C-alpha cells in the first residue's frame, strides 16, 4: 500500500500553481504580498492554500504597502511552514487523515436493496484500509460552485480519490476530474465513460439479461416482454440489449419468437401506476408467455399485479427479475432472478483505488463481475 503520510504531509508551491493553472512565480508573488499580482489572483491563491491545509493569519499586510522582503517572510504567516522557494523546500502542514470521497445520488443512497449495499461495500473496504470516507451527493457536481464547501475537500491532498456510484452526466464527470486536477484517481462503479481516465467496476448486465431471457425461452415461452426504461441507467439499456441478443440467437434456429418492450417511468413516483395500467389494459389472452424485468423491484410489483388479475404465475406467465435482492426469495411464488454483485462492487472499487494509488501511471482497467442465474418458482 502507498504510504499515505507522504501524500498529505508535504506540499510544494508548484502544487498550488498546478491546481490553479498559474506559474509558481505567481504563487510566490501572491503569498509574499508583492505587487504585480491582481487582487483576484491573490485571493484565489490564498483560497487554494487554505483548501490544501494552510492556515493563513487574518492580520493581513496593510494594503500590501510593506511586503515581506522574501518568500520566507511570507511563509512565516503559515504555521508549520518551511520556505516556499522550490519544489525541494516543501510546506509542512498538519497531518490530516486519509479520506475517500464517495459520490452517490440521494435517491440511490436511500434505496436499501442495491445501492445502499454497494455503498456499504465501499465503506467497508475503506475502513479495512484505515481510510475515512465522505459521502457526497452527485447532484452537487452540477449545482455547487466548484470551490465551495464541501467540494473543496476533495482538492485536499488528504483526499485519496473519488469513487462514483452509478451514472453521472459527462459534464459532471469532467467537473470532478477538474477538481481533482489529476492528483487523485477516479473510480466509476456500474458506469463507464471513455472520455474520463478512470477504472470501471461493472456488473455483467448484458450477460445477466441474456441468462434471464434464455431461461424464459428454455421454459417454452415464445412471446417475451421486457419491462424497464432505457433512459433510467446504462445498466437498464444493457439488459434490454442482452434480451435482444438472446432472442436473436434463438430465432436463428426456430421461428415464431417475438420480443417487445414495455417502457415505464421507473425512478419516478408514477411508475407503479403505469405498470398497473399496462397490465390491466391487456386481456389475459394477449399477455406474453414470459416477462423479463429490468430489476427485481419491477418484477416483484409485476407478480403482485398479475395475481390481482387472477393470472397464474408461472403456469400462464413466467416472470424473471435481475439483481437478486433479499425480497425476491420470499415473494409468492419466489422470484427467479439473476444475481449481480452488490457489496463486492464496492470492495472491488476500493481495490481499484488502491491499485491506482500504488501505481499512478498504470493503465485504466475495466473489471466486469459475472452474473449467476437463481432458479426459483416464478419462471
Amino acid at each position: 500500500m502507498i504510504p499515505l503520510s507522504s501524500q498529505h504531509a508535504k506540499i510544494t508551491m508548484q502544487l498550488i500553481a498546478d491546481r490553479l493553472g498559474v506559474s509558481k512565480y505567481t504563487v510566490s508573488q501572491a503569498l509574499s504580498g508583492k505587487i504585480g499580482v491582481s487582487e483576484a489572483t491573490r485571493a484565489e491563491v490564498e483560497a487554494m492554500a487554505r483548501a490544501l491545509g494552510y492556515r493563513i493569519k487574518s492580520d493581513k499586510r496593510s494594503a500590501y504597502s510593506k511586503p515581506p522582503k522574501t518568500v520566507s517572510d511570507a511563509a512565516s504567516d503559515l504555521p508549520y511552514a518551511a520556505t516556499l522557494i522550490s519544489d525541494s523546500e516543501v510546506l509542512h502542514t498538519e497531518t490530516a487523515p486519509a479520506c475517500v470521497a464517495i459520490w452517490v445520488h440521494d435517491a440511490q443512497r436511500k434505496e436499501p436493496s442495491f445501492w445502499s449495499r454497494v455503498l456499504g461495500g465501499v465503506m467497508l473496504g475503506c475502513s479495512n484500509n484505515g481510510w475515512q470516507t465522505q459521502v457526497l451527493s452527485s447532484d452537487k457536481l452540477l449545482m455547487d460552485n466548484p470551490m465551495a464547501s464541501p467540494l473543496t475537500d476533495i482538492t485536499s491532498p488528504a483526499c485519496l480519490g473519488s469513487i462514483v456510484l452509478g451514472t453521472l452526466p459527462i459534464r459532471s464527470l469532467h467537473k470532478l476530474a477538474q477538481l481533482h486536477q489529476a492528483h487523485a484517481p477516479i473510480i466509476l462503479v456500474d458506469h463507464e465513460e471513455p472520455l474520463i481516465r478512470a477504472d470501471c467496476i461493472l456488473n455483467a448486465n448484458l450477460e445477466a439479461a441474456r441468462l434471464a431471457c434464455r431461461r424464459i425461452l428454455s421454459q417454452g415461452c415464445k412471446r417475451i416482454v421486457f419491462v424497464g426504461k432505457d433512459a433510467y441507467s446504462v445498466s437498464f439499456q444493457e439488459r434490454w440489449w442482452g434480451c435482444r441478443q438472446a432472442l436473436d440467437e434463438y430465432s436463428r434456429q426456430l421461428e415464431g419468437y417475438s420480443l417487445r418492450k414495455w417502457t415505464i417511468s421507473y425512478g419516478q413516483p408514477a411508475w407503479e401506476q403505469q405498470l398497473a395500467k399496462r397490465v390491466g389494459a391487456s386481456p389475459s389472452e394477449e399477455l406474453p408467455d414470459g416477462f423479463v424485468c429490468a430489476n427485481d423491484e419491477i418484477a416483484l410489483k409485476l407478480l403482485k399485479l398479475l395475481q390481482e388479475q387472477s393470472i397464474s404465475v408461472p403456469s400462464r406467465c413466467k416472470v424473471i427479475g435481475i439483481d437478486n435482492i433479499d425480497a425476491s426469495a420470499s415473494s409468492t411464488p419466489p422470484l427467479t432472478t439473476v444475481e449481480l454483485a452488490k457489496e463486492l462492487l464496492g470492495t472491488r472499487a476500493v481495490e481499484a483505488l488502491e491499485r491506482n494509488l500504488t501505481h499512478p501511471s498504470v493503465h485504466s482497467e475495466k473489471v466486469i463481475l459475472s452474473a449467476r442465474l437463481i432458479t426459483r418458482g416464478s419462471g
Side-chain angles (χ1 to χ4, degrees):
M1 185 185 302
I2 189 169
L4 301 179
S5 59
S6 65
Q7 296 189 39
H8 55 261
K10 298 179 179 180
I11 311 301
T12 67
M13 191 164 54
Q14 185 64 56
L15 178 59
I16 301 175
D18 291 343
R19 294 291 177 84
L20 294 173
V22 299
S23 68
K24 187 165 62 176
Y25 173 81
T26 298
V27 174
S28 172
Q29 294 295 94
L31 289 179
S32 65
K34 293 182 178 179
I35 61 174
V37 178
S38 69
E39 290 302 315
T41 299
R42 194 186 310 278
E44 289 180 357
V45 170
E46 291 183 350
M48 179 58 70
R50 291 190 182 92
L52 292 174
Y54 307 167
R55 292 186 299 173
I56 299 176
K57 291 183 177 180
S58 59
D59 50 336
K60 298 291 185 183
R61 297 158 291 277
S62 301
Y64 301 100
S65 59
K66 296 181 180 179
K69 295 180 179 179
T70 66
V71 177
S72 297
D73 294 330
S76 66
D77 283 344
L78 310 176
Y80 322 108
T83 57
L84 287 173
I85 295 177
S86 69
D87 288 344
S88 62
E89 294 178 77
V90 296
L91 180 70
H92 295 262
T93 66
E94 291 180 306
T95 300
C99 180
V100 175
I102 307 171
W103 300 89
V104 59
H105 291 290
D106 293 335
Q108 291 176 334
R109 190 176 180 181
K110 298 174 184 176
E111 188 276 311
S113 301
F114 186 83
W115 284 112
S116 62
R117 294 176 61 181
V118 177
L119 177 60
V122 174
M123 298 184 76
L124 176 62
C126 289
S127 176
N128 289 341
N129 281 289
W131 301 340
Q132 294 188 2
T133 55
Q134 183 174 13
V135 181
L136 302 170
S137 171
S138 300
D139 300 325
K140 289 188 177 294
L141 288 170
L142 288 174
M143 296 166 48
D144 281 6
N145 182 326
M147 294 306 297
S149 180
L151 297 187
T152 50
D153 293 345
I154 72 167
T155 66
S156 165
C159 182
L160 303 179
S162 282
I163 296 176
V164 181
L165 306 188
T167 303
L168 268 184
I170 182 62
R171 182 160 66 98
S172 298
L173 288 173
H174 275 307
K175 181 178 289 188
L176 181 59
Q178 291 168 1
L179 288 169
H180 277 301
Q181 296 195 353
H183 96 280
I186 298 172
I187 311 298
L188 303 182
V189 178
D190 205 35
H191 180 60
E192 57 182 313
E193 176 47 65
L195 298 180
I196 297 292
R197 185 186 181 280
D199 279 18
C200 304
I201 312 299
L202 309 170
N203 269 322
N205 291 297
L206 193 145
E207 176 193 350
R210 287 182 69 242
L211 279 172
C213 195
R214 289 177 68 87
R215 168 67 183 179
I216 283 278
L217 291 166
S218 71
Q219 296 296 296
C221 299
K222 291 190 173 183
R223 295 178 298 149
I224 316 297
V225 163
F226 177 85
V227 187
K229 179 186 178 183
D230 283 3
Y232 177 72
S233 67
V234 174
S235 62
F236 273 33
Q237 291 179 340
E238 291 176 340
R239 294 171 190 186
W240 163 243
W241 297 337
C243 284
R244 291 177 57 181
Q245 283 191 10
L247 194 79
D248 286 346
E249 292 165 0
Y250 255 76
S251 59
R252 291 193 198 109
Q253 305 170 12
L254 301 170
E255 296 182 354
Y257 290 88
S258 65
L259 174 65
R260 295 181 292 130
K261 185 195 298 183
W262 285 4
T263 298
I264 58 172
S265 58
Y266 183 77
Q268 302 297 320
W271 77 267
E272 294 186 10
Q273 289 79 5
Q274 287 182 356
L275 183 57
K277 184 176 180 180
R278 196 70 184 260
V279 172
S282 302
S284 177
E285 62 275 9
E286 295 182 9
L287 285 171
D289 304 323
F291 289 94
V292 176
C293 298
N295 67 12
D296 283 356
E297 185 180 11
I298 296 172
L300 292 171
K301 180 62 178 178
L302 179 61
L303 275 179
K304 183 178 179 181
L305 291 171
L306 291 173
Q307 290 170 352
E308 291 173 354
Q309 296 290 324
S310 299
I311 297 168
S312 177
V313 178
S315 59
R316 171 60 184 86
C317 291
K318 294 175 172 53
V319 178
I320 293 184
I322 297 175
D323 281 341
N324 192 30
I325 64 175
D326 292 340
S328 64
S330 57
S331 62
T332 304
L335 181 67
T336 295
T337 184
V338 180
E339 184 172 42
L340 291 173
K342 302 167 191 67
E343 289 87 356
L344 184 59
L345 267 181
T347 56
R348 291 298 294 270
V350 176
E351 291 174 8
L353 178 61
E354 184 176 357
R355 184 184 74 95
N356 278 267
L357 292 170
T358 307
H359 307 287
S361 60
V362 72
H363 285 291
S364 297
E365 285 189 349
K366 181 194 296 186
V367 177
I368 302 177
L369 304 179
S370 296
R372 181 168 67 99
L373 181 67
I374 307 294
T375 302
R376 298 192 182 111
S378 68

